[in-house]
Amino acid sequence: MKILIADDEAPIRDWFAYVLTQKIPGLKAQVETAAGGLEALEKMEKDPPDVVFADIKMPGLDGIGLIEQAKERFPRTVFVILTNHAEFTFAQRAVGLGVYDYLLKSEITAEKVAQTLADIQKGFFTAAPQPAGAGEVERIEEPEGVDWPALARRLGADGPGRYRAVAVRGADRGAVLQRQLPDTPLTPVLWGDCWEALLPAGAAGFPGWEPPFAVGLSAPHAGAEGLQAALQEAVLALETAFLSGRPGLYRFGDAQEPPQLDSALHALRKRLSTEIAYGGVPTVRGDLSQFLTRCAQAGPTRVDWVRKNCHRLLAQMEDRYLQELREIEPDARRVGKPVRSLEDFRAQMEEMLAAVEERQGERDAPAIDTAVRYIERHYGDSALSLTKLAGSVHLSPEYFCRLFKQKTGVSYGTYLTTYRLTRARELICTTDLKMAEVARQVGYENASYFSRLYKKHMGLSPEQERRAAPPAGQN
């Protein structure tokens, strides 16, 4: 296995070289090191490695830049990010670019490196099983360099018969697929980390078959000219397993492009930027639910878009999450998990939203006491409004309304009206003020409106209230 270590810290490079060559039994590794992203890219051009351990922050070309430039040119290379706690947001972005995993520098041990390489070896570089008598396994490096007519002949796809391609992640699952379809000989093709094979179109319906892992299935094709499309469609269909997070058979073309997927993303990102800081968690939840619903309906060609934007949204949400927590825990950090499915994304977002909501509620509850005192002092101001009151305690009107009702049990509007009418009753029963003046003193410029409102809430008109009041000096 060829391994490249890209890190600007010499002690890290030296430690990895020592571990990979001396501390992992059975590992036969050719180890190269690079002090930065540009040097790593140059070495990859000369001799593409199987695995790259890359520091996420390096001078010049950093880890993310290295991955972005190398992914298309070296599709079989597996990337593992090295990161510090404080750089976790960037690590999530890297995972969104197709990085296999990330390792926290503060927690790296020889055992963790060995386990990571063992998982990579199993999932990406295990030799694919072959049927009896089959020749060397076909491995596709770059589609542009493949002789597709010759490959079609070797796979038996050059005749008039129609076929479909199936794809699974990893050669170990390919072996299971072969065992589950004993009557259909499969000649494997390795494309990146996917194990693929061709099946006669009529035998690929799998009625009632429930595979224990995700399997991608292409549309029917025929002839050498359809082979590349079939193999690519099977991989794209397999990618849609990310949306459900469940095993099963995923057919290319089953999913239709949902309407307004991009607008749902834009709305959610805007909410995270502008409203969550002002108590807009319920609104964010609504937009998140709409985004997830539309993502779950995405077609195979949009799965990579969905995955990348899920990581970007998590990074954006984490920035807000850490801002809230660091007000009380200066060293607060969050180490999330790689997003393997939409459900993983939803769970991580909800975890942070719930924590932010709880923190904001604890922090902002005293503002309602302040607002109540403000009402008691300014209830006679006819210009007193929700916007003005919320602004007096530095909260958004929407968040203020929710928090006010949570704290008092009634809405802001009901509380203000009740308080004003209670003060009005005192003036009606204890003074000789005209009703128009009473109305003005409790915040109502229109005496007729005040009279109707008073009767609706108090059961008597202001005049009836005054006549029913006991004489001055009597209880």
Side-chain angles (χ1 to χ4, degrees):
M1 182 181 288
K2 298 176 183 177
I3 301 174
L4 175 63
I5 312 301
D7 197 299
D8 59 324
E9 297 181 62
I12 296 290
R13 299 196 301 271
D14 294 343
W15 181 85
F16 263 95
Y18 169 70
V19 167
L20 294 171
T21 56
Q22 305 291 327
K23 301 297 289 183
I24 302 179
L27 178 65
K28 296 180 180 179
Q30 300 176 32
V31 180
E32 287 276 354
T33 62
L38 289 175
E39 183 184 352
L41 204 55
E42 291 174 0
K43 292 193 173 184
M44 292 180 73
E45 294 281 4
K46 295 177 182 176
D47 189 11
D50 297 309
V51 180
V52 174
F53 289 89
D55 185 11
I56 203 162
K57 283 193 173 181
M58 295 182 286
L61 185 66
D62 63 13
I64 289 179
L66 171 62
I67 295 162
E68 289 175 333
Q69 293 195 33
K71 256 305 184 181
E72 293 297 323
R73 290 147 71 182
F74 309 102
R76 289 195 61 251
T77 297
V78 180
F79 288 87
V80 178
I81 279 292
L82 308 176
T83 179
N84 294 314
H85 283 296
E87 301 159 358
F88 178 70
T89 295
F90 297 101
Q92 283 190 314
R93 281 182 56 203
V95 173
L97 291 171
V99 169
Y100 178 76
D101 206 349
Y102 58 87
L103 298 176
L104 295 171
K105 286 186 175 182
S106 60
E107 299 177 3
I108 290 178
T109 63
E111 290 74 17
K112 286 190 176 182
V113 173
Q115 185 60 56
T116 299
L117 289 173
D119 292 343
I120 292 173
Q121 179 79 32
K122 181 179 179 182
F124 290 83
F125 301 114
T126 302
Q130 303 176 51
E136 185 176 334
V137 176
E138 301 288 350
R139 186 183 290 276
I140 297 175
E141 303 286 352
E142 296 286 348
E144 293 76 14
V146 175
D147 184 342
W148 291 102
L151 179 58
R153 285 193 298 272
R154 291 194 293 273
L155 296 178
D158 57 338
R162 291 169 68 79
Y163 56 83
R164 295 178 190 256
V166 290
V168 293
R169 191 79 64 191
D172 54 336
R173 293 180 173 180
V176 175
L177 191 63
Q178 286 185 313
R179 290 195 298 270
Q180 293 192 341
L181 301 170
D183 298 329
T184 306
L186 304 178
T187 301
V189 176
L190 298 184
W191 193 336
D193 63 336
C194 288
W195 184 102
E196 298 193 70
L198 299 184
L199 294 165
F206 302 122
W209 185 48
E210 297 182 1
F213 43 76
V215 177
L217 183 67
S218 76
H221 290 271
E225 63 275 11
L227 180 57
Q228 180 176 358
L231 295 174
Q232 289 177 326
E233 286 176 4
V235 173
L236 287 171
L238 179 61
E239 289 295 318
T240 59
F242 172 84
L243 303 178
S244 70
R246 296 189 297 270
L249 188 62
Y250 294 85
R251 293 178 173 84
F252 184 84
D254 278 357
Q256 300 298 318
E257 181 66 19
Q260 301 177 330
L261 183 57
D262 294 271
S263 62
L265 170 67
H266 176 74
L268 180 54
R269 296 196 70 170
K270 185 176 180 181
R271 297 286 191 196
L272 288 173
S273 298
T274 61
E275 294 198 19
I276 197 168
Y278 304 101
V281 170
T283 307
V284 171
R285 281 199 178 101
D287 283 346
L288 175 62
S289 177
Q290 188 173 53
F291 175 72
L292 289 170
T293 297
R294 290 177 177 166
C295 284
Q297 301 165 358
T301 58
R302 296 301 297 273
V303 174
D304 189 54
W305 180 94
V306 170
R307 181 187 288 108
K308 288 178 179 178
N309 279 292
C310 282
H311 283 91
R312 290 169 182 149
L313 287 166
L314 275 174
Q316 187 180 357
M317 179 67 226
E318 186 180 66
D319 287 342
R320 181 68 247 171
Y321 168 87
L322 291 177
Q323 285 178 35
E324 291 287 348
L325 264 63
R326 282 173 179 160
E327 292 181 9
I328 53 176
E329 298 178 42
D331 297 325
R333 63 176 182 263
R334 176 180 180 269
V335 180
K337 301 175 182 178
V339 178
R340 307 297 188 192
S341 67
L342 266 184
E343 176 56 28
D344 285 347
F345 166 71
R346 185 207 62 76
Q348 291 195 48
M349 287 290 287
E350 179 53 39
E351 174 194 351
M352 289 188 283
L353 285 170
V356 168
E357 189 172 44
E358 180 181 4
R359 165 63 188 145
Q360 288 178 339
E362 293 172 351
R363 180 195 64 201
D364 297 333
I368 302 304
D369 294 330
T370 301
V372 167
R373 291 192 294 271
Y374 188 95
I375 290 173
E376 292 171 353
R377 293 194 302 271
H378 300 89
Y379 68 90
D381 181 2
S382 61
L384 180 59
S385 65
L386 171 61
T387 301
K388 187 173 184 179
L389 185 57
S392 73
V393 290
H394 312 292
L395 300 177
S396 71
E398 295 81 2
Y399 180 43
F400 174 82
C401 278
R402 288 194 300 272
L403 201 60
F404 192 95
K405 189 165 186 178
Q406 288 173 10
K407 186 73 183 293
T408 66
V410 296
S411 69
Y412 151 76
T414 299
Y415 187 94
L416 177 60
T417 298
T418 301
Y419 191 85
R420 280 173 163 172
L421 295 181
T422 300
R423 299 284 78 79
R425 173 185 274 173
E426 293 176 0
L427 293 174
I428 290 169
C429 295
T430 61
T431 72
D432 294 326
L433 291 173
K434 293 182 179 180
M435 294 307 170
E437 179 61 18
V438 171
R440 190 192 64 76
Q441 287 198 20
V442 297
Y444 298 105
E445 296 294 336
N446 188 313
S448 296
Y449 173 74
F450 164 72
S451 182
R452 292 194 300 273
L453 188 68
Y454 192 93
K455 185 171 184 179
K456 177 181 177 180
H457 285 268
M458 311 302 274
L460 298 173
S461 68
E463 292 76 9
Q464 291 171 329
E465 186 77 69
R466 178 162 282 174
R467 289 194 296 269
Q474 296 183 23
N475 293 327

